[in-house]
């Protein structure tokens, strides 16, 4: 079934790193804000995006950069006011842009009014959270957090422990309490009535804890078998959809934790009436041994196998290569880090690989999500040591690996390449001080390569990454096959990937697009069989190859139509 959100291009904004302005209570404080976003709406429209996913702007003490919310219906003064937020909805709508909010409902901040009241054992809010007595001066069970620590915190005032699957300042809500679900419904209605077009739902498949029994030993999160993708979780999502979401013209995309394909289908197949689509992580971990942290050799055939599983397995995909929790894709799968100069200038094939990855991303079946800076090929930051990092996960991982006796140089090598802060450095708008992001020292340092990589330098360069994105988005928007067509894998090896998008039509011949991608810094010679796949008219290329049917140049990608 065709819908507006399937036809859309979504642009993710991480507000504190997007654009600082002078129009808040804290002008030029080095933190991006809502008036700053409003000032850049024309750039988003020119890119071709028509939906913004806005990472949290709610009131928060910022223990986890806004993902610890102390008031869901108020705006953090660092970002502006509710009047600013209402103006953002209005100004975006004038440009044909919708906005989806970040819904963080597994946990609140420990500074939320609900939690503060819940610390009194007799309070009606006590059961809003998961409180338990300890066992012989030990926590109630052996669970660990996603931030590499114990999942229970003792509260002196209460005389009991509370559960937190993330930071200790992010206590988990208790979804066995119907009042909590009603509170969430009210939050949804509040923002939908304000003008939101939907929600990105944070860690949405772990909100319901079936039991609090001890967890089995594993390498990641102990206890996860008791709360990942539980039946109670599905029931809550169906209730939210039935009672609130289906009464609005909106959509939901879920961030899901460690889901396999069958779990994903249960969460977002259309007939189940839960989520509309979800984010999975398999494709970004094909060159990782443990989650996103420990690397292994990249092979294009493994990536194609993973993408085929998800592209063909789900009713609809949310397709992405970057977000605020992932390394920059041109540094991860691309060539930005190869031969990077001491001055920070990116590697030889930075531009080519960024364009090739754009072609890969925007020819997949599903709704594309582009992260701020991806459209200009922003790279990982050149951090010098762990003290440069703000990210709580990176610091937790460093402590964990230190306990495992992993040498400091190796710990730093892995963390530097995978830290969430790589994606959180300020947006590089121009080559002025602080990259045009702010007139003050930014909350996180600007990448030193902003003199080479910035929006202003690429805007009028017809060969730039930015203009390639614009061209490719325009091609996708006016070619239904690239949005809704079937995904058909043709060939892949360590470096080369070839696949098709195809529509079937009962009354006339269907349309076919063929995509060939070279994930390497070497020219790939094509034999007769491979050349035979590359038929049709050339629509786009990331390079100028005169022998297109016989070879693909380093990091070249081509799009053909027949």
């Amino acid at each position: 079934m065709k819908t507006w959100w399937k036809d859309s291009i979504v642009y993710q904004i991480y507000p504190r790193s997007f654009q600082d302005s002078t129009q808040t209570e804290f002008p030029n404080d080095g933190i991006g804000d809502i008036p700053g976003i409003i000032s850049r709406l024309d750039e988003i429209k020119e890119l071709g995006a028509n939906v913004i996913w806005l990472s949290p702007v709610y009131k928060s003490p910022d223990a986890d950069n806004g993902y610890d919310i102390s008031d869901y219906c108020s705006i953090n003064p660092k970002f502006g006011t509710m009047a600013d937020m209402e103006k953002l909805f209005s100004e975006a709508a004038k440009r044909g842009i919708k906005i989806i909010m970040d819904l963080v409902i597994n946990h609140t901040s420990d500074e939320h009014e609900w939690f503060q009241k819940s610390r009194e054992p007799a309070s009606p809010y006590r059961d809003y959270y998961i409180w338990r007595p300890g066992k012989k001066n030990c926590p109630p069970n052996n669970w660990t957090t996603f931030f590499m620590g114990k999942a229970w915190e003792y509260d002196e005032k209460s005389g009991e422990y509370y559960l937190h699957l993330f930071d200790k300042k992010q206590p988990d809500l208790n979804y066995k309490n119907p009042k909590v679900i009603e509170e969430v419904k009210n939050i949804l209605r509040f923002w939908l009535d304000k003008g939101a077009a939907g929600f990105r739902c944070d860690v949405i498949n772990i909100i319901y804890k079936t039991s609090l029994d001890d967890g089995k030993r594993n390498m990641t999160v102990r206890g996860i078998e008791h709360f990942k993708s539980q039946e109670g979780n599905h029931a809550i999502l169906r209730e939210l959809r039935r009672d609130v979401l289906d009464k609005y013209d909106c959509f939901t995309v879920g961030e899901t934790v460690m889901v396999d394909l069958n779990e994903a289908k249960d969460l977002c197949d259309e007939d189940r009436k839960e989520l509309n689509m979800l984010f999975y992580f398999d494709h970004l971990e094909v060159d990782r041994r443990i989650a996103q942290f420990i690397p292994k050799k990249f092979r294009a055939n493994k990536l194609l196998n993973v993408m085929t599983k998800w592209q063909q397995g789900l009713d609809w995909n949310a397709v992405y290569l970057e977000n605020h929790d992932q390394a920059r894709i041109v540094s991860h799968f691309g060539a930005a880090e190869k031969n990077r100069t001491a001055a920070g200038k990116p590697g030889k094939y930075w531009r080519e690989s960024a364009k090739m990855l754009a072609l890969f991303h925007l020819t997949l079946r599903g709704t594309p999500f582009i992260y701020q800076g991806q459209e200009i090929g922003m790279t990982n930051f050149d951090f010098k040591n762990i003290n440069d990092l703000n990210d709580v996960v990176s610091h937790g991982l460093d402590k964990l690996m230190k306990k495992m006796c992993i040498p400091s140089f190796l710990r730093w090598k892995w963390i530097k390449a995978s830290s969430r802060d790589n994606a959180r450095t300020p947006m590089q708008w121009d080559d002025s001080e602080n990259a045009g992001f702010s007139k003050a020292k930014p909350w996180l340092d600007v990448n030193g390569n902003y003199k080479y990589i910035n929006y202003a330098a690429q805007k009028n360069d017809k060969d730039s990454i930015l203009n390639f994105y614009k061209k490719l988005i325009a091609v996708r928007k006016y070619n239904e096959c690239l949005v809704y067509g079937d995904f058909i894998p043709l060939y892949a090896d360590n470096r080369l990937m070839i696949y098709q998008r195809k529509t079937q039509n009962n009354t006339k011949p269907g349309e076919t697009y063929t995509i060939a991608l070279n994930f390497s810094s070497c020219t790939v010679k094509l034999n007769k069989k491979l050349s035979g796949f590359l038929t049709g008219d050339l629509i786009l290329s990331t390079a100028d190859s005169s022998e297109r049917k016989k070879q693909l140049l380093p990091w070249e990608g081509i799009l053909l139509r027949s």
Side-chain angles (χ1 to χ4, degrees):
M1 181 177 70
K2 297 176 183 177
T3 66
W4 65 266
W5 45 264
K6 289 182 178 179
D7 290 329
S8 294
I9 303 289
V10 184
Y11 188 85
Q12 183 193 353
I13 290 177
Y14 193 67
R16 71 186 59 240
S17 294
F18 191 62
Q19 179 67 73
D20 192 12
S21 80
T22 61
Q23 301 172 46
T24 68
E25 184 181 338
F26 305 96
N28 286 326
D29 59 350
I31 297 175
D33 49 47
I34 294 169
I37 295 169
I38 294 170
S39 74
R40 295 293 186 177
L41 287 174
D42 287 339
E43 284 86 341
I44 296 170
K45 179 178 174 61
E46 288 169 11
L47 178 66
N50 57 346
V51 177
I52 290 170
W53 155 22
L54 192 63
S55 288
V57 291
Y58 316 103
K59 190 174 180 182
S60 167
D62 283 338
D64 187 26
N65 288 355
Y67 282 87
D68 50 315
I69 298 168
S70 56
D71 188 341
Y72 288 91
C73 299
S74 294
I75 299 298
N76 188 331
K78 293 177 183 176
F79 296 138
T81 64
M82 187 60 74
D84 291 327
M85 190 67 218
E86 290 166 350
K87 184 178 179 182
L88 175 58
F89 282 127
S90 173
E91 291 297 320
K94 290 177 184 176
R95 295 163 174 80
I97 298 172
K98 299 177 185 289
I99 295 175
I100 65 170
M101 305 292 287
D102 219 313
L103 186 71
V104 187
I105 57 170
N106 175 69
H107 46 263
T108 69
S109 166
D110 66 346
E111 297 182 30
H112 196 291
E113 180 185 20
W114 300 342
F115 184 77
Q116 289 301 314
K117 289 181 176 179
S118 82
R119 296 174 69 198
E120 294 287 350
S123 168
Y125 288 91
R126 182 69 167 183
D127 204 31
Y128 272 43
Y129 297 87
I130 301 172
W131 290 96
R132 291 294 185 274
K135 296 179 179 178
K136 296 180 181 180
N137 296 320
C138 292
N141 64 32
N142 66 352
W143 292 7
T144 56
T145 77
F146 288 91
F147 288 175
M148 278 72 79
K150 291 182 179 179
W152 294 90
E153 185 72 13
Y154 184 73
D155 181 66
E156 292 283 352
K157 182 176 181 178
S158 294
E160 288 189 344
Y161 292 82
Y162 65 86
L163 178 69
H164 60 93
L165 292 181
F166 294 88
D167 190 79
K168 68 181 180 180
K169 288 185 67 64
Q170 295 171 295
D172 281 38
L173 288 163
N174 175 20
Y175 279 90
K176 290 185 178 178
N177 182 354
K179 291 180 181 178
V180 171
I181 300 173
E182 291 305 313
E183 295 278 14
V184 171
K185 290 177 185 176
N186 289 335
I187 294 165
L188 295 176
R189 292 188 190 102
F190 177 87
W191 285 108
L192 290 166
D193 289 341
K194 285 281 184 188
F199 301 92
R200 176 267 188 184
C201 307
D202 188 64
V203 296
I204 197 63
N205 67 317
I206 63 169
I207 64 175
Y208 187 88
K209 286 72 179 177
T210 299
S211 84
L212 296 177
D213 293 342
D214 279 350
K216 298 174 184 176
R217 288 183 174 274
N218 64 44
M219 288 289 291
T220 53
V221 180
R222 188 174 296 179
I224 196 167
E225 67 272 19
H226 299 296
F227 55 80
K228 180 170 75 84
S229 302
Q230 304 292 295
E231 181 49 43
N233 204 135
H234 294 295
I236 292 164
L237 291 175
R238 287 193 291 270
E239 183 177 343
L240 296 178
R241 177 88 174 259
R242 180 193 69 230
D243 292 354
V244 181
L245 297 166
D246 276 349
K247 302 184 187 305
Y248 295 82
D249 183 18
C250 67
F251 78 97
T252 54
V253 53
E255 179 203 29
T256 51
V257 177
M258 301 179 189
V259 290
D260 59 29
L261 180 59
N262 289 330
E263 289 173 335
K265 288 169 70 68
D266 286 343
L267 286 161
C268 71
D269 271 7
E270 291 180 358
D271 59 355
R272 288 182 58 86
K273 301 290 185 182
E274 296 186 26
L275 300 168
N276 295 116
M277 54 182 138
L278 56 76
F279 295 124
Y280 44 82
F281 299 94
D282 287 12
H283 63 306
L284 296 179
E285 296 172 1
V286 296
D287 61 345
R288 296 291 185 265
R289 296 187 188 279
I290 300 176
Q292 70 193 70
F293 305 114
I294 302 178
K296 64 181 180 182
K297 189 174 179 62
F298 172 86
R299 299 183 189 281
N301 53 358
K302 290 188 177 181
L303 179 59
L304 183 60
N305 289 341
V306 168
M307 293 314 304
T308 301
K309 176 182 74 172
W310 290 100
Q311 288 276 290
Q312 296 183 347
L314 294 182
D315 284 347
W316 194 251
N317 279 254
V319 292
Y320 75 102
L321 295 179
E322 289 188 21
N323 63 33
H324 63 290
D325 285 335
Q326 300 292 329
R328 291 290 184 176
I329 196 62
V330 73
S331 294
H332 183 179
F333 286 167
E337 303 307 309
K338 297 178 177 68
N339 302 314
R340 184 204 282 248
T341 69
K345 192 173 183 180
K348 181 179 178 182
Y349 293 113
W350 158 71
R351 184 189 300 237
E352 290 85 348
S353 62
K355 289 183 180 181
M356 186 277 290
L357 289 162
L359 185 60
F360 172 56
H361 182 192
L362 289 163
T363 55
L364 295 171
R365 185 177 189 272
T367 301
F369 288 71
I370 298 170
Y371 180 66
Q372 63 184 50
Q374 182 181 339
E375 76 275 24
I376 59 171
M378 281 180 63
T379 69
N380 282 357
F381 190 78
D382 192 19
F383 299 111
K384 298 295 185 291
N385 58 62
I386 191 74
N387 296 323
D388 289 346
L389 301 179
N390 175 276
D391 177 28
V392 63
V393 172
S394 297
H395 287 280
L397 183 64
D398 185 58
K399 290 177 183 176
L400 177 65
M401 291 195 293
K402 189 174 183 178
K403 287 181 181 178
M404 298 168 66
C405 299
I406 295 173
S408 60
F409 79 91
L410 195 54
R411 297 200 308 269
W412 176 237
K413 179 181 179 181
W414 292 342
I415 291 171
K416 181 181 177 182
S418 63
S419 174
R420 300 189 301 177
D421 278 353
N422 281 307
R424 298 177 180 188
T425 58
M427 180 71 180
Q428 294 163 209
W429 290 109
D430 57 41
D431 64 0
S432 65
E433 187 178 10
N434 298 323
F437 163 73
S438 178
K439 293 181 180 178
K441 179 176 171 57
W443 73 277
L444 190 65
D445 284 345
V446 173
N447 195 318
N449 64 21
Y450 75 91
K451 295 283 187 180
Y452 306 101
I453 303 174
N454 64 73
Y455 184 93
Q458 295 191 27
K459 183 175 182 179
N460 296 317
D461 176 1
K462 64 181 179 60
D463 195 38
S464 70
I465 298 165
L466 174 64
N467 283 313
F468 185 80
Y469 265 93
K470 289 180 179 180
K471 192 182 304 182
L472 185 52
I473 288 170
V475 168
R476 181 185 173 93
K477 277 191 172 182
Y478 296 105
N479 288 274
E480 195 171 282
C481 178
L482 288 175
V483 179
Y484 294 99
D486 294 336
F487 181 91
I488 301 168
L490 295 179
Y491 175 83
D493 55 28
N494 289 347
R495 300 180 296 177
L496 178 64
M497 179 189 298
I498 305 175
Y499 57 91
Q500 287 181 335
R501 301 294 309 285
K502 182 175 289 190
T503 53
Q504 306 296 333
N505 196 308
N506 294 328
T507 59
K508 61 181 181 179
E511 194 172 31
T512 299
Y513 284 86
T514 302
I515 300 92
L517 309 168
N518 177 7
F519 284 81
S520 79
S521 299
C522 302
T523 297
V524 173
K525 303 290 185 182
L526 302 176
N527 59 31
K528 187 175 182 181
K529 176 185 175 182
L530 296 179
S531 294
F533 289 135
L534 306 184
T535 59
D537 299 323
L538 178 68
I539 304 301
L540 276 178
S541 170
T542 63
D544 182 21
S545 175
S546 58
E547 297 185 90
R548 191 167 318 286
K549 300 294 177 66
K550 296 181 181 179
Q551 65 181 17
L552 285 177
L553 296 177
W555 298 100
E556 183 178 8
I558 59 173
L559 174 66
L560 304 163
R561 179 175 60 198
S562 59

